[in-house]
Amino acid sequence: MPVVWIIEDEKIQQETAKRIVKKTAVEFNALLHMVLWDGRGALTEEQTSKQPDLVVLDLNLSQGIHGLEALRTVPGFENADVFHPYVIIWSHFDGELELYEMAPAQDQKSHLNEDRVIRTYWKSEKNLETALKGFLSRLMEEGVYHEDISL
Amino acid sequence: MTEQSANPLKNSCGQPDGANISADIFLIFDDGKIPDEAIYWLSLYVKRHIRNDQESGGARPLQLRLMQISDRDVFSANIQNEFLPSGENRGYFADFDQGEAMQLRLHGLLAFLLFARQYPAIVITDKNGIEKLCADSEPCPHSQDLIDDAFIVFVTDKDGMAWAQDQQLRAVPWQDQSQEPVIERISLFWKTRSIKGFSSVIHGVRRKIIGYGKRLENRKTHHPVLIIGQSRTGKELIANSLYDVSGLEKGKFTAVACGTFTQSLLLSEIFGYWPGAFTSSDSQGGMGLIESAAGGALLVDDIDAAEDPKGLQGAFLRCLITDPPTYRRVGARPSKKPLSETADTWLIFTLNKPIRDMIKSGNLREDFLFRFQRIIQSPPLSARPKDIPQIAMTSWQNSRLKGRHLTIPALRHLRYLKTDWEANAGELQALLLLSHELLSENKLLTWTEAIDQVVERGDDYLDWYENIPKPSGSFKSKTFTTSELPEGAIGSEGKNGLITRELPQKPDALIDVLKKEILSKPDMEFEMNVLKRIYRKGALGSVCESEFLEKRKSYEGYGSWYALGAIGENHADNHADLVQLLQEVFSQKDISALQAYIGKENASGTIHCYKVLLFLALHPQNVIRRKEMLGILWDRKGRKPLTSFETHREILIRLLGKNKRPLKKGEIYENDHLSLEFVQNEWCLRLKTAVHLNVSQT
């Protein structure tokens, strides 16, 4: 079962993302395991038990937390060789994306696979949906493995 | 493309570098307990393998890969330790690389065997195991592929044997201790490994290569070989592996392409010349390729491409019957000894045109053809569709392009994509390269989708290069202007009027017309007209082509359905028409219930609903019952009717698939994972408002 993480601090945006992920999953007839996180709260053991396959990421999290920093807390991130989740950076072009541009300079360790990262320039539902559809279909083709094979 | 090298999927279908692997061995037993007989057979095989390899004295040991698959853990670790005669022989085993193992887990053994494996496979299992493996393939054509595959050998018990023989699978009993059929096949594959493919057709070619690569004892040189085959079917690969198999001195393989020289130059290149044979000839004379290749082989490539093919064939006639080949240098005179010379060169010819045509056009001498006792036909790609995944994989690896690697679903898609590969491997390569272009532009595209988009550009592979899609959409585009529209398409109101189409007035006749339209392929031009009519683009005087194409994309699934319904100010008329049509199909009770439900405030929404119902009711492949049909029109919570055209479009696309041909029951269409059952289930889902997701929240 693919694991989707939504890292977003604003409740409304979180709900929106959740709804869109659900809707897309129904369209793909895919069973998903979804984890919602605000980027700083404690994670339960169940949530950290599986690595994410797809992350919907907000860059500008509350209390000055950078989205990519939060991403480093995600389980599996330490295994750079095998961990290559699809990342949808869902943010506005004004200001927030600069955070993304800055990140590699600040931290050499951020090792996202560019082929699997997409940035939206506008935080709209449509953008998220399009990106989700594309990445979910890639996920289904390229595969995901968490002991149980569901796709 | 950072960190690409660390990606486990990188080698997902790839070959590990410097692979020296002769076979993959799979052990499939439900409970993970391997019967003693199977263990005995396997250990015997491993011992033989090691002994044979040591005898042949290769530089690197030939490796085997072992994999145990059981119900409990899909994938147990390597078990080679049990079969090692001694610790030193570790080199005889290799591990599945990470990417390959992952593909195997994800897509199952059958998909891996059929579409992604690189080496012959020995499957050791009992009857249960074979049945389970083959059960996945019912009723798809996969089972045919399994039979066609000459390099999967099942090693099984008595029951399994009986079952496998029934299914025409290649099987040997594990009581058979001679193991000859298995050893023979595996060594056959290893010897001709530069040729790709596992199908039985190519198996025949491999056997010929082994046979023709042997020199008869009473002959000084090998029999000359003629390889006939279309371009890009691997004639040169066959020639190379003939040479590898022959055991001739390494590095003495010379090839000459007949199209490169003028005829006279070609003759002096091949046979050499004496001093004074022509102006500015070397005073020492010149050695020909046939002489310089002595002790090795000379490949005369594309003999039909020479300036005067018949003359060239005539020049070779004597070489073909004498052993070793006897020839005369250009400019040989009785005064210059020797008049004719011999060179123990193995002659291999290739021909890339059909022989019948060549004889008819006078480009092939029949006597030339008859002098060959060894002829190999190189089969075209369409004759061995089973090999497409492997060839695609090889050609992808050889292209050395960076980017995403081919996945098993993509390879399976390629396998069933086409039946006529006009340019053989060239066409396949073109398809991969063009798809790769699309993929590198768009991260959201999958391999399968990219391949589809390229194929949609045209039937002919040259179309793929020519019809580069407009950025606005992926459809083959054509510009329409009002002047090009067919006569009568423009209404009586002239330039500013609506483009109309005559529809029959009587409901019966109209239903017939609509039925035909639903069945036939959508007519692009007509759709354009209708779209213009709907969006009144014609009235504005400017034809926004890309917008039309975009619209067409979004309305795919409807065919020319727009002719009905909301198209202007007079909603009322259309509404009445539709109700009349509906009455032909549905009961009055249904319709009045529907009208009450939908309400009247949203006129175009109502019309959409009517159209969907009518469409479903008329569609001959429709399997949804009347009651459920009405259910489709409501949202998943059953609160209000869906009156958006977009939603209904989705429904219809899913129901009818892309290509609108008649569907058989149980057939899979549009996407592999969208089966008829799925579509039906989805309706249930929408109706029952099932909760579909596991959500845990902080």
Side-chain angles (χ1 to χ4, degrees), chain A residues 11 22 27 29 31 34 36 47 81-82 112 114-117 131 134 137-138 141-145 149, chain B residues 2 6 8-9 98 105-107 404 407 409 443-448 654 678 692-694 696-698:
Chain A
K11 196 72 183 165
K22 271 188 185 181
E27 209 163 293
N29 201 26
L31 284 168
M34 199 146 68
L36 304 178
Q47 285 170 333
D81 296 346
V82 290
L112 292 174
E114 272 302 314
D115 185 40
R116 294 175 173 220
V117 177
S137 48
R138 274 186 68 184
E141 192 184 278
E142 286 167 23
V144 45
Y145 178 65
I149 296 169
Chain B
T2 53
L9 292 172
Q98 209 182 1
R105 279 183 189 129
L106 282 171
H107 301 287
R404 281 186 245 154
T407 55
K443 288 179 195 171
L444 298 178
L445 221 54
T446 61
W447 258 108
T448 318
R654 294 209 163 190
F678 163 67
H692 206 54
L693 299 158
N694 254 345
S696 69
Q697 193 166 0
T698 42

Side-chain angles (χ1 to χ4, degrees), chain B residues 379-608:
Chain B
L381 204 53
S382 51
R384 47 181 187 131
K386 159 113 215 5
D387 297 337
I388 289 172
Q390 225 207 348
I391 294 169
M393 217 141 71
T394 316
S395 114
W396 173 249
Q397 280 161 1
N398 292 345
S399 69
R400 296 188 184 277
L401 286 170
K402 283 188 179 167
R404 281 186 245 154
H405 280 255
L406 276 168
T407 55
I408 288 185
L411 290 167
R412 184 172 60 197
H413 188 60
L414 278 175
R415 157 71 180 85
Y416 298 112
L417 189 64
K418 285 178 87 179
T419 46
D420 55 326
W421 294 87
E422 210 182 311
N424 299 306
E427 195 169 346
L428 191 58
Q429 202 177 345
L431 182 56
L432 290 176
L433 296 187
L434 288 168
S435 311
H436 173 256
E437 267 174 30
L438 290 178
L439 282 182
S440 53
E441 283 164 12
N442 188 352
K443 288 179 195 171
L444 298 178
L445 221 54
T446 61
W447 258 108
T448 318
E449 286 162 354
I451 290 168
D452 273 344
Q453 286 196 9
V454 174
V455 172
E456 270 172 25
R457 292 184 198 171
D459 298 332
D460 188 357
Y461 79 104
L462 294 176
D463 285 347
W464 303 346
Y465 286 109
E466 282 172 355
N467 297 347
I468 300 302
K470 294 272 161 60
S472 58
S474 59
F475 284 84
K476 197 173 163 181
S477 44
K478 194 185 163 195
T479 313
F480 285 95
T481 55
T482 345
S483 59
E484 277 180 53
L485 292 172
E487 198 105 343
I490 299 168
S492 54
E493 287 146 288
K495 204 182 160 191
N496 293 324
L498 296 171
I499 299 157
T500 56
R501 179 183 152 138
E502 286 296 313
L503 289 172
Q505 287 303 313
K506 284 184 184 168
D508 283 348
L510 185 50
I511 284 177
D512 276 347
V513 169
L514 293 173
K515 267 186 182 171
K516 266 178 207 160
E517 266 178 14
I518 292 165
L519 277 176
S520 66
K521 287 187 102 178
D523 177 10
M524 177 82 173
E525 209 157 331
F526 173 65
E527 277 179 56
M528 282 288 197
N529 297 345
V530 178
L531 280 170
K532 280 176 191 169
R533 183 177 159 189
I534 296 172
Y535 295 98
R536 299 171 138 263
K537 286 288 170 190
L540 295 174
S542 64
V543 180
C544 183
E545 184 209 353
S546 64
E547 200 157 324
F548 279 144
L549 287 170
E550 223 21 64
K551 290 287 179 214
R552 181 189 182 266
K553 205 159 81 179
S554 64
Y555 289 96
E556 199 183 14
Y558 266 103
S560 49
W561 203 240
Y562 335 93
L564 288 171
I567 36 161
E569 302 94 65
N570 50 350
H571 286 304
D573 298 348
N574 286 308
H575 187 268
D577 279 351
L578 274 169
V579 173
Q580 201 181 352
L581 281 176
L582 279 171
Q583 279 166 352
E584 301 280 318
V585 188
F586 289 92
S587 69
Q588 189 59 49
K589 200 179 151 196
D590 283 342
I591 295 172
S592 50
L594 184 75
Q595 279 172 329
Y597 239 93
I598 294 175
K600 284 188 175 172
E601 64 274 18
N602 186 347
S604 67
T606 314
I607 283 171
H608 291 322

Side-chain angles (χ1 to χ4, degrees), chain B residues 11-64:
Chain B
N11 282 332
S12 55
C13 295
Q15 192 169 348
D17 287 335
N20 210 23
I21 294 158
S22 74
D24 291 340
I25 302 174
F26 297 95
L27 290 114
I28 314 174
F29 293 99
D30 276 355
D31 45 3
K33 282 180 201 150
I34 310 172
D36 291 343
E37 296 99 320
I39 292 187
Y40 181 67
W41 192 95
L42 186 54
S43 51
L44 207 64
Y45 181 79
V46 170
K47 273 181 206 158
R48 283 221 171 99
H49 170 82
I50 294 175
R51 200 176 59 227
N52 287 347
D53 189 57
Q54 281 167 349
E55 277 169 12
S56 68
R60 293 176 60 196
L62 265 183
Q63 292 174 317
L64 293 173

